[in-house]
Amino acid sequence: MSRIKLDSKQLKQEIISFNQQLLESYKLLKRMPPVETGQTPFETIFQLDKVRLNYYQPEIVQPELPPIVICYALVNRPYMIDLTPERSMLQKLLQRGIGVYLIDWGYPDASDRFLDLDDYINHYLDQCIDAATRHAGQERINLMGICQGGTFSLCYTALHPQKIARLITLVTPVNFDTEDFTLSKLARHVDADLAVATYGNIPGTLLNETYNSLMPMRLGLQKNLDLPITLSDEASARAFLSMEKWIYDSPDQAGAAFSEFIKNFFQQNKLIKNTLKIGNQSVDLGHITQPLLNIYASHDHLVPPSSSKALKGMTSSQLYREKEIKTGHIGLFVSSRTGSQLIDSIANWLQSDLDNNA
């Protein structure tokens, strides 16, 4: 049996160096101001219960690029797309002259326990779409859904096709039964009814632990070991802390909607099987005829490309396009390397679509 040989002097020096770096990091954190996120100015143009629709006005409006409603997931907060001024997908859209309506689902409390998917999709999302359409002075509006919000957007467009002009889905799960969909495999073993009976609303902290468990070394041990480097200067520390703030700013999930989503999507895969009902309405992706851009991340550990790419051929869109971006689930929105590529894809697709329909 081979033995591990350690140099005691080198090991001692590495520990001393590590501790010194930690001390310097601590001093840096003490003198840093609190981290601010979601700093882009907006106007709340509509509110219903805890749900708000915020409008972000570009400095120079491009008439040929109509505004977009962005539907984020219920999990985590939508300021992921406006994390810091340096890493803001939202600001990049505004710089292109694209107005943005962003849905903020708020923080569900005990009074929201019985909100279901019908409430979220056919009531709240529908009211937000109507409000944005009125505000924009258009007959139909563009809709972009992110992650679970993309799944919601697909369902909404299939149920209300007359209200949507164009549809964009970002890192959106469609087929919940692909071989490499690790989160879905875990969700199949969840007793959703028991969880709701136990907790009422599902705690956001519990869901965070689940997501972190998908990559325990990278999101746990490695992240902590890298702290002295991550917190070595104010810029990198600010980027790290803003991300940590977003990760752990996790709203609880309305019990009924959580249970319904787990059972109908993760466990029974009804969307792809064309057996899904929202309320008493059947969701048929074939009712989607709008131009559709489906963007996915090649290294996505939460929603694998195989799940997103399953959308191809499921709709009746004659202008369906896919775009792969070489990054991860979160990197798609905050990476400086891929951020411009994402915005270029969205803006160019909107423009070419208008040209094709001219």
Side-chain angles (χ1 to χ4, degrees), residues 34 86 101 104 239 246 284:
E86 302 81 15
Y101 298 92
D104 183 342
W246 173 79
D284 184 354

Side-chain angles (χ1 to χ4, degrees), residues 196-209:
V196 172
T198 303
Y199 293 105
N201 289 339
I202 305 302
T205 52
L206 178 63
L207 296 176
N208 267 336
E209 292 174 3

Side-chain angles (χ1 to χ4, degrees), residues 63-115:
E64 70 274 14
L65 290 174
I68 295 179
V69 176
I70 297 182
C71 176
Y72 201 76
L74 299 178
V75 182
N76 294 117
R77 302 286 291 139
Y79 61 76
M80 162 50 62
I81 69 169
D82 188 32
L83 202 59
T84 65
E86 302 81 15
R87 300 192 295 171
S88 175
M89 168 190 167
L90 192 150
Q91 287 195 16
K92 290 183 175 68
L93 287 171
L94 297 179
Q95 289 165 8
R96 291 297 188 93
I98 302 172
V100 174
Y101 298 92
L102 178 61
I103 298 174
D104 183 342
W105 298 111
Y107 293 88
D109 59 28
S111 67
D112 301 309
R113 173 178 176 174
F114 298 102
L115 291 176

Side-chain angles (χ1 to χ4, degrees), residues 4 176 178 193 241 244 326-327:
I4 299 176
F176 290 76
T178 62
D193 292 332
L241 293 174
E244 289 295 287
K326 298 186 183 303
T327 186

Side-chain angles (χ1 to χ4, degrees), residues 47-293:
Q47 182 166 359
L48 179 61
D49 300 330
K50 298 178 178 66
V51 179
R52 296 187 306 170
L53 182 66
N54 299 325
Y55 176 63
Y56 298 79
Q57 170 81 40
E59 289 188 12
I60 301 176
V61 177
Q62 299 292 341
E64 70 274 14
L65 290 174
I68 295 179
V69 176
I70 297 182
C71 176
Y72 201 76
L74 299 178
V75 182
N76 294 117
R77 302 286 291 139
Y79 61 76
M80 162 50 62
I81 69 169
D82 188 32
L83 202 59
T84 65
E86 302 81 15
R87 300 192 295 171
S88 175
M89 168 190 167
L90 192 150
Q91 287 195 16
K92 290 183 175 68
L93 287 171
L94 297 179
Q95 289 165 8
R96 291 297 188 93
I98 302 172
V100 174
Y101 298 92
L102 178 61
I103 298 174
D104 183 342
W105 298 111
Y107 293 88
D109 59 28
S111 67
D112 301 309
R113 173 178 176 174
F114 298 102
L115 291 176
D116 59 15
L117 296 184
D118 186 36
D119 293 314
Y120 277 108
I121 294 174
N122 285 323
H123 183 52
Y124 291 128
L125 179 52
D126 186 50
Q127 292 288 316
C128 287
I129 292 294
D130 287 347
T133 304
R134 289 193 300 269
H135 186 267
Q138 299 191 6
E139 294 183 2
R140 300 191 298 167
I141 198 92
N142 294 333
L143 176 61
M144 179 162 67
I146 297 174
C147 193
Q148 182 194 39
T151 309
F152 280 14
S153 298
L154 287 169
C155 294
Y156 181 83
T157 305
L159 293 171
H160 306 275
Q162 74 282 3
K163 295 188 178 186
I164 303 301
R166 300 167 188 85
L167 179 62
I168 302 172
T169 52
L170 302 182
V171 290
T172 293
V174 179
N175 184 351
F176 290 76
D177 193 24
T178 62
E179 185 60 32
D180 55 348
F181 203 156
T182 305
L183 180 60
S184 185
K185 289 182 178 181
L186 291 175
R188 290 171 209 167
H189 300 284
V190 172
D191 187 331
D193 292 332
L194 177 60
V196 172
T198 303
Y199 293 105
N201 289 339
I202 305 302
T205 52
L206 178 63
L207 296 176
N208 267 336
E209 292 174 3
T210 302
Y211 303 141
N212 287 338
S213 72
L214 298 178
M215 300 179 71
M217 294 299 293
R218 180 177 174 183
L219 299 179
L221 180 61
Q222 189 64 54
K223 182 172 73 172
N224 291 327
L225 289 176
D226 287 343
L227 278 178
I229 299 174
T230 304
L231 302 177
S232 60
D233 62 80
E234 188 167 333
S236 60
R238 189 182 302 108
F240 173 79
L241 293 174
S242 62
M243 179 63 71
E244 289 295 287
K245 177 181 178 180
W246 173 79
I247 288 174
Y248 293 102
D249 186 5
S250 300
D252 295 344
Q253 300 296 290
F258 172 85
S259 177
E260 198 175 351
F261 196 80
I262 288 288
K263 290 189 289 187
N264 288 347
F265 291 86
F266 281 108
Q267 295 178 347
Q268 300 177 38
N269 205 18
K270 288 185 176 181
L271 181 63
I272 202 77
K273 292 179 180 178
N274 202 31
T275 58
L276 176 66
K277 283 191 174 183
I278 302 296
N280 59 0
Q281 297 176 277
S282 295
V283 176
D284 184 354
L285 294 179
H287 290 163
I288 298 176
T289 60
Q290 288 81 355
L292 202 166
L293 176 62

